[in-house]
Amino acid sequence: MNPLPSRRHFLKASTLAAASLPFIPGLSLAAEPKRKLGFALCGLGNLSTNQIAPALQKTEYCKLAGIITGTPEKAKRWQAKYDLPDQCVYNYGTMAKLADNPDIDVVYVVTPNGLHADHTIAAAKAGKHVLCEKPMEVSQEKCQQMIDACKAAGKQLAIGYRLHFEPNHLECIRLVREKVLGSLKSVEAGFGFHIGDPNQWRLKKELSGGGPMMDVGIYALQAMRYLSGEEPVSVSATATTTDTVKFRGIEESLTWQMTFPGGIQTSGSTTYGLGGVNRFTANTTHGWLTLDPAYGYHGISGMRSDGKAIQLADMDQFAAEMDDFAQCILNNRPTRVPGEEGLRDMKIITAIYESVRTGKVVNLA
Ligand code: NAD
């Protein structure tokens, strides 16, 4: 049991105390503090350390309330840095004990892709909402198990699609929907980088589920889907690998094409072989709009064919994503990035890999 009094009990007690005060003219009670949901980070690697934990400090509705890690030295460092007591520290084998900690509302799963289902299901069974990093998992079956586990627990599941909260992406969606530059005809999108360390989990298929398509190509795929507002009906893809020692069982680079029901065509590329590919262009009947760079944590900007810039204020995408999820939970409304959205991407990525394997167009309808 967590010996600390829970925030819920404290808030309930202070609300009751305030309600019992007599009315005194001129005395205004301070507004009830915003309820902050407790987030436990599961997996304390690069993303948790450099983006998510700092972003949590900037949120309005969230706070760091726990950590789940397999490395005791890391736990010590995080405890010192974020002032976390021992009872907020878990390892992957003790996640069931999260059930006893009412100060943790949400588990944010930030482990390698092929462990997302294990950690999501453990968190849901402990009665916690789950925010899970992209890609949701490495197969449709695993994604479905995650959705089922959260449903069975009556908890919300969101996927860490941070760009759904990024103003420049939202502006591009608005421009396309309102046909400001005409009707959307095609999208070209690509995201890739040069991968270093040959021993990292991203290059191990059982943990990654695949190569750059799973890791960063998914951003280009997402852009195609949210710009068009449609689901693809068919896909074809080709993969190439020049370094067969480093890239064993996963692609080094991949290109794919998709057709959408209204006739929109899209063309995507992703790679671990070279840096600097980070953009999309949406072509319309009367022009185009582009973001370049499109998918980074900061500095996203672009242009429109009518000469106007697309350059809305930079913000912390992770803070926005977590605050939105917290508000969904607090107000009992659905997230715009539910598990079903992650499953839809996984269905398309599975078809992309099938097309690579068979050399054929794969129908998705
Ligand atoms: P990372 O390698 O830096 O961290 C992974 C963490 O998982 C480490 O702390 C590691 O110790 C832990 N872990 C637990 N079991 C492990 C195992 N069996 N093998 C290897 N590591 C294990 O990776 P990361 O870059 O932080 O990525 C974590 C997740 O976040 C991935 O799903 C990745 O796709 C996603 N991600 C998302 C974004 C984004 O912009 N939303 C950016 C980077 C990564």
Side-chain angles (χ1 to χ4, degrees), residues 29 44 49 57 60 67 73 163 188 203 205 213 218 239-240 270 278 283 291 308-309 315:
L29 289 171
L44 307 180
T49 305
Q57 313 303 312
E60 278 188 66
I67 48 175
E73 307 83 67
L163 293 169
E188 299 150 51
L203 298 171
K205 192 170 181 196
M213 185 66 228
I218 194 169
T240 51
T270 185
N278 182 349
N283 299 297
L291 288 185
K308 293 184 183 160
M315 39 79 85

Side-chain angles (χ1 to χ4, degrees), residues 63 90 113 137 149 193 201 205 321 323:
K63 63 175 186 177
Y90 300 84
N113 311 340
E137 244 288 351
F193 66 99
W201 65 261
K205 192 170 181 196
E321 162 200 285
D323 264 342

Side-chain angles (χ1 to χ4, degrees), residues 233-237 256-258 348 351-352 355 360-364:
V233 289
S234 68
V235 50
S236 63
W256 78 100
Q257 289 73 42
M258 302 196 295
I348 299 167
I352 286 172
S355 178
K360 295 190 172 142
V361 174
V362 176
N363 288 319
L364 285 156

Side-chain angles (χ1 to χ4, degrees), residues 217-274:
I218 194 169
Y219 287 97
L221 170 60
Q222 276 271 306
M224 293 164 183
R225 290 183 52 232
Y226 53 66
L227 286 167
S228 67
E230 294 181 358
E231 296 302 327
V233 289
S234 68
V235 50
S236 63
T238 312
T240 51
T241 301
T242 57
D243 184 341
T244 50
V245 177
K246 192 167 182 180
F247 301 100
R248 265 173 301 173
I250 64 165
E251 77 281 4
E252 179 179 345
S253 301
L254 191 152
T255 59
W256 78 100
Q257 289 73 42
M258 302 196 295
T259 304
F260 288 74
I264 295 166
Q265 303 277 341
T266 68
S267 161
S269 65
T270 185
T271 180
Y272 275 158
L274 54 96

